[in-house]
Amino acid sequence: MTERPIFDKDLLDRCISCGFCLPACPTYAMTGKETSSPRGRITLMRALETGRLDDDDPTLAEESSFCLGCRACETVCPAGVQYGSLLEQWRDHQWQGRRRPWIARVLMAVVSRPALLRLQRLVRRHASGPARAAAPEAPVSLMLGCVERGLYPGVSRAVRRLRPEVSVPAGQGCCGALHAHNGDSEGGARLARELGGRLPGTIVTTAGGCAAHLAHHVGRDRVKELSEYLTEAGYEPAGQVTVDGRRARAALQDSCHLRNGLGVTRPPRELIAAVADYVELPGAGDCCGAAGTYAMVRPADSRAVLDPKLDAIEAADLDYLVTVNPGCLRQLQQGLRRRRSRVKVVHLAEFLALAGG
Amino acid sequence: MTAKLAEALAGIVGPEHVSVEPGALAAHARDATPLFDAMPQAVVHPGSAEEVAAILRYATAEGVPVVPRGAGSNLCAGTVPLHGGIVLVLTRLNRILEVSRDELLARVQTGVPTAKLAAAAAEAGLLYAPDPGSHTVSTVGGNVATCAGGLRGLKYGVTRNYVLGLEAVLPTGEIIRTGGRLWKDVAGYDLTRLLTGSEGTLAVITEATVALLPKPETTGTGVAYFPTLADASRAVTAVIASGIVPATLEFLDQKCIAAVEEFAGLGLRADAGALLLFGDDGQAATVEGNLARIEGICADEGALEVTLAEDVARADALLAARRCSLPALSRLGSLTVLEDVSVPRHRLAGMVARIDEIAAAHDLLIATFGHAGDGNLHPTCVLDPDDGEAIERCHQAFAEIFSAAIALDGTITGEHGVGAAKLPYLEERLGGDQVALLGRIKRAFDPAGILNPGKLGS
């Protein structure tokens, strides 16, 4: 038996088991089982803490992994339970060493080594360099997310087109969200603080997941997700996004941690509506199943979460689906490609750049 | 024992719907009631009334306890498996079978969340009136089993007023249908009403036929702040005496206002001693007139401020804030023991005063909110879960609160149910003869005593 406490007592005591979280939980919707609801998982955490359940109990292993970590439960919890933090503490215990999913181990090793991150640059060119416009009074740094750096270099290039005053400091590391969500919250916190120390001024990020994690560790006031930053900076789009000469129809897929962790929902919608006909998808705020490493660790469950969303997207007659997090971008691109859908999935930065921003 | 039980249950519902792993058992050891916790031996999710019947036949033959459970949101420890056995989770029975505009009724399976039934009714231009605070979570079956109330009880009554018929499985395995699609039906004892509020001790409800109403043309909501709860109570009595029966008359005391405001951020006034949330529905002119009259009466009774919600969003936000009073209070201390006494409406102020006296005498923080129009109060004691001595004082205080309610011609529970939490006080409310009769009724339904043992009539 490992050392107790595993959980921060104040956090664990917060839950009164009222069950208000049940309707918000994607995995409870899938199984209808108490064990895969936020309330049930907190009961499991308590059973782990008190020793009612053994450390190697299979339900503990399964449910700590089955949870998407989307934090939708937090927004409906009147008792203010910080479920995301509890999940991090649970996985710290549950996923020590070799019990961590191997994909997560590989990814964490890659992003922890700047040399390997630099290798990505040989393959893809992303924007980097100092601000191109007159330096603003306070410096603004664009944080390059690890996934985006590798897979979507166009996103950061688009940001610099939209806002030339943003500088892109070289030598950035990982923000640590990946670590925090995969059983190394201490490492995650350290990486966030280090990155916060390296990037001067306001940190702008194009990844909702990174934004929430960084804000938690370096302070909410220092971190702006792109849509927040653009809105506060008074960004005005130059034109419209058009398809065949008409205004495009576009919808947003929220980023869970941006919505549920930081409470940012309006800015991305308003920006899309400024350049296109905005369509609110049913369930736009529900998790798409990407959920960090989840899509790779649990592909079948990830698809089961995604499928109803793909149905909603196809039924909405869209031209574009706009995302604010690279994980969602990848998940939805792959999902819609499998269905041979004509809907284009883009990041908000690229979408606004299409309007000639 | 467990292996044999698991095998028998798997033979009925399929192995994927039976759980005997320690984790699943631990997750079903409690419901939304604090301080009650007991491990079952198996958790089973049946998919039909026939499967429920087979499980109950087996349990009766083997003498295994069975505790029916919906969403597990009850506040009386009604679904805690005190004697172990099987927790029978009914959430797979989640289909809305029918919504009829012609007959003004709906037929739903037991595990449908109440808010989903309400939404389906609304889509057909109809209203399902009972709306317990937990309606997004709780199930129709659970609402029937506890005869749940809600925020519209004053004008519309509670769950029992809307249950027309039930399909239920007896502990001996027979599937019965009580009542039906009829507003008038006196053939036999009213078993529909007997099962409503029977807390899973007589039969397992698998389907309900409920009455719907035409959806009111409009609704309106307002808020009045008073210096004290006694002032608010006086206003409530005056509103009813004036001939208005509004849909909603809810109150929060000062401690609840502060807690709810912290969660919901609606700009509620923290300096007021009490908040009265009032609302009505119906034709626009009537609603407008009633709200204006309530506004006037509140002002006459010394309200600090009265405002009407400018739009539906604001009204919904206010009602949602009221619904989350209990969990919001837990921000003050992580153990919240909530009770549910009810008194004749005109005695509300007297009851609130008694609660405050008792809280002070036992040095406890008790915040009170509830349904002013029904005289139904939810005194909630906020505690530190590690302070065993304070928990003891809390039990003592609630025993006194129950006695005080009974002395004021009230009851120990208005809408949450007796469950395991209030069973020790039931005889004080009903008297020995009635409690004995409950026992005889229980044995007539459940000769082996397997259904939810340790609760009503056991």
Side-chain angles (χ1 to χ4, degrees):
Chain A
M1 186 147 143
T2 37
E3 268 180 57
R4 300 291 188 274
I6 296 164
F7 298 97
D8 185 332
K9 183 171 164 25
D10 287 345
L11 295 185
L12 199 55
D13 279 352
R14 238 335 153 48
C15 174
I16 59 161
S17 299
C18 68
F20 274 45
C21 52
L22 267 60
C25 178
T27 56
Y28 180 71
M30 275 164 77
T31 67
K33 294 202 165 149
E34 179 75 22
T35 39
S36 40
S37 75
R39 176 181 66 178
R41 289 189 175 112
I42 288 175
T43 307
L44 291 174
M45 293 180 208
R46 286 176 169 155
L48 173 63
E49 183 73 55
T50 60
R52 172 178 263 185
L53 293 177
D54 295 335
D55 281 20
D56 57 358
D57 181 271
T59 310
L60 290 174
E62 168 62 11
E63 289 303 336
S64 61
S65 148
F66 185 33
C67 176
L68 290 150
C70 70
R71 298 169 66 187
C73 46
E74 288 185 31
T75 63
V76 296
C77 177
V81 173
Q82 294 172 45
Y83 182 88
S85 298
L86 284 170
L87 180 66
E88 287 183 11
Q89 292 170 9
W90 194 10
R91 287 188 178 164
D92 280 351
H93 170 82
Q94 206 76 43
W95 285 5
Q96 278 165 11
R98 302 204 64 79
R99 289 196 294 177
R100 181 173 298 146
W102 69 267
I103 291 173
R105 290 208 301 272
V106 170
L107 287 172
M108 284 161 68
V110 169
V111 300
S112 300
R113 288 177 179 73
L116 285 173
L117 272 182
R118 275 197 298 277
L119 264 182
Q120 290 182 334
R121 293 182 58 187
L122 297 178
V123 188
R124 307 265 188 162
R125 283 192 52 230
H126 63 79
S128 69
R132 287 174 298 189
E137 285 158 28
V140 181
S141 308
L142 179 66
M143 192 209 106
L144 297 169
C146 301
V147 175
E148 192 188 282
R149 209 173 332 195
L151 295 176
Y152 304 108
V155 173
S156 48
R157 286 201 296 268
V159 173
R160 301 207 68 203
R161 283 237 300 284
L162 297 171
R163 301 306 293 183
E165 79 275 15
V166 174
S167 68
V168 187
Q172 301 188 12
C174 172
C175 75
L178 176 72
H179 303 68
H181 301 156
N182 288 283
D184 180 15
S185 62
E186 225 177 87
R190 182 174 40 79
L191 286 168
R193 285 192 302 269
E194 284 171 9
L195 185 59
R198 272 199 298 277
L199 297 179
T202 299
I203 303 171
V204 175
T205 146
T206 50
C210 303
H213 178 75
L214 261 185
H216 187 72
H217 292 287
V218 307
R220 180 70 179 97
D221 52 329
R222 275 204 65 201
V223 178
K224 302 274 177 233
E225 181 274 335
L226 177 69
S227 69
E228 274 186 292
Y229 175 69
L230 291 176
T231 303
E232 287 172 23
Y235 164 77
E236 301 258 349
Q240 309 272 310
V241 179
T242 55
V243 174
D244 303 332
R246 61 171 171 82
R247 237 166 107 92
R249 276 172 66 83
L252 176 75
Q253 165 63 40
D254 280 298
S255 146
C256 289
H257 284 201
L258 186 60
R259 182 191 182 95
N260 306 328
L262 297 181
V264 176
T265 55
R266 287 175 61 131
R269 286 172 168 76
E270 287 169 0
L271 289 168
I272 296 169
V275 297
D277 287 342
Y278 177 72
V279 180
E280 177 73 19
L281 279 180
D286 301 343
C287 183
C288 68
T293 54
Y294 196 90
M296 289 170 272
V297 175
R298 301 186 69 110
D301 292 324
S302 169
R303 280 201 198 188
V305 173
L306 175 64
D307 271 336
K309 192 171 285 293
L310 296 180
D311 294 341
I313 292 166
E314 293 196 304
D317 187 27
L318 298 175
D319 300 304
Y320 289 95
L321 182 75
V322 181
T323 66
V324 282
N325 188 58
C328 317
L329 180 59
R330 179 174 177 273
Q331 171 87 340
L332 287 154
Q333 275 182 350
Q334 291 185 340
L336 287 168
R337 197 176 300 141
R338 276 197 301 273
R339 293 198 177 192
R340 302 181 193 288
S341 167
R342 64 169 199 93
V343 181
K344 289 196 195 71
V345 187
V346 293
H347 190 281
L348 179 67
E350 300 168 300
F351 187 65
L352 295 174
L354 287 174
Chain B
M1 161 67 192
T2 301
K4 187 180 149 223
L5 180 62
E7 193 185 323
L9 293 173
I12 297 166
V13 298
E16 68 275 30
H17 300 302
V18 180
S19 308
V20 293
E21 328 72 86
L25 303 181
H28 292 83
R30 62 164 301 172
D31 51 32
T33 323
L35 305 173
F36 287 86
D37 178 294
M39 291 280 271
Q41 269 100 46
V43 178
V44 58
H45 290 74
S48 68
E50 289 70 26
E51 288 182 0
V52 172
I55 293 164
L56 292 182
R57 272 195 300 275
Y58 171 82
T60 285
E62 299 291 325
V64 181
V66 176
V67 180
R69 173 178 166 124
S73 55
N74 79 86
L75 295 163
C76 63
T79 57
V80 176
L82 296 177
H83 297 268
I86 300 165
V87 173
L88 186 75
V89 185
L90 296 155
T91 47
R92 276 180 71 211
L93 299 174
N94 61 359
R95 281 186 302 136
I96 294 173
L97 302 169
E98 177 183 6
V99 175
S100 168
R101 291 178 63 133
D102 298 343
E103 293 186 79
L104 290 178
L105 59 78
R107 204 157 57 79
V108 298
Q109 288 188 308
T110 191
V112 171
T114 310
K116 285 222 167 115
L117 164 59
E123 218 167 277
L126 302 171
L127 173 75
Y128 178 62
D131 66 337
S134 59
H135 71 162
T136 57
V137 187
S138 60
T139 62
V140 174
N143 286 181
V144 174
T146 52
C147 189
L151 275 60
R152 288 193 285 241
L154 175 59
K155 180 171 178 177
Y156 288 107
V158 297
T159 301
R160 82 161 66 81
N161 304 104
Y162 295 86
V163 184
L164 295 172
L166 294 172
E167 179 191 77
V169 187
L170 300 179
T172 38
E174 302 91 332
I175 300 174
I176 61 168
R177 297 194 76 96
T178 71
R181 313 170 73 95
L182 304 163
W183 263 251
K184 288 184 170 181
D185 181 4
V186 294
Y189 294 139
D190 191 345
L191 296 180
T192 308
R193 281 227 172 181
L194 180 57
L195 292 180
T196 303
S198 65
E199 302 184 6
T201 61
L202 301 180
V204 177
I205 296 161
T206 48
E207 186 190 305
T209 305
V210 295
L212 304 176
L213 297 168
K215 196 161 134 193
E217 184 183 292
T218 184
T219 60
T221 303
V223 175
Y225 295 94
F226 291 89
T228 67
L229 244 173
D231 299 322
S233 307
R234 236 179 22 248
V236 168
T237 307
V239 166
I240 310 280
S242 78
I244 307 171
V245 182
T248 297
L249 265 181
E250 298 287 313
F251 75 95
L252 303 178
D253 74 2
Q254 187 161 29
K255 298 162 207 143
C256 295
I257 298 171
V260 167
E261 176 59 21
E262 194 193 322
F263 166 58
L266 293 168
L268 306 178
R269 256 180 91 149
D271 62 333
L275 177 159
L276 192 64
L277 180 65
F278 56 91
D280 201 12
D281 55 14
Q283 297 200 316
T286 314
V287 171
E288 198 179 317
N290 282 349
L291 291 186
R293 282 172 64 195
I294 297 172
E295 197 176 359
I297 291 168
C298 288
D300 291 346
E301 295 295 337
L304 300 168
E305 180 188 341
V306 191
T307 50
L308 299 182
E310 63 272 22
D311 55 26
V312 175
R314 176 72 185 173
D316 284 350
L318 287 168
L319 286 166
R322 158 59 192 85
R323 281 179 208 282
C324 72
S325 304
L326 166 66
L329 274 174
S330 73
R331 289 167 181 253
L332 305 177
S334 57
L335 176 62
T336 49
V337 180
L338 157 139
E339 282 308 343
D340 177 39
V341 289
S342 206
V343 292
R345 190 185 303 123
H346 67 283
R347 299 196 135 153
L348 189 74
M351 188 66 222
V352 169
R354 285 292 291 130
I355 292 170
D356 286 346
E357 282 167 29
I358 293 167
H362 291 278
D363 190 22
L364 292 165
L365 169 61
I366 299 186
T368 304
F369 62 96
H371 316 286
D374 310 329
N376 186 195
L377 298 94
H378 296 315
T380 303
C381 188
V382 184
L383 296 156
D384 172 353
D386 298 325
D387 189 348
E389 190 267 329
I391 293 171
E392 205 38 58
R393 275 187 279 132
C394 166
H395 288 314
Q396 185 55 41
F398 275 117
E400 290 172 26
I401 287 171
F402 295 141
S403 297
I406 292 170
L408 291 171
D409 295 329
T411 186
I412 58 172
T413 172
E415 60 179 1
H416 292 170
V418 176
K422 272 155 285 183
L423 200 61
Y425 311 100
L426 187 61
E427 189 158 341
E428 187 180 349
R429 163 73 179 126
L430 295 183
D433 290 344
Q434 271 198 69
V435 168
L437 177 60
L438 255 56
R440 294 200 294 279
I441 293 171
K442 164 75 176 165
R443 286 190 290 282
F445 275 79
D446 183 14
I450 56 144
L451 256 191
N452 213 354
K455 316 285 165 61
L456 279 181
S458 303

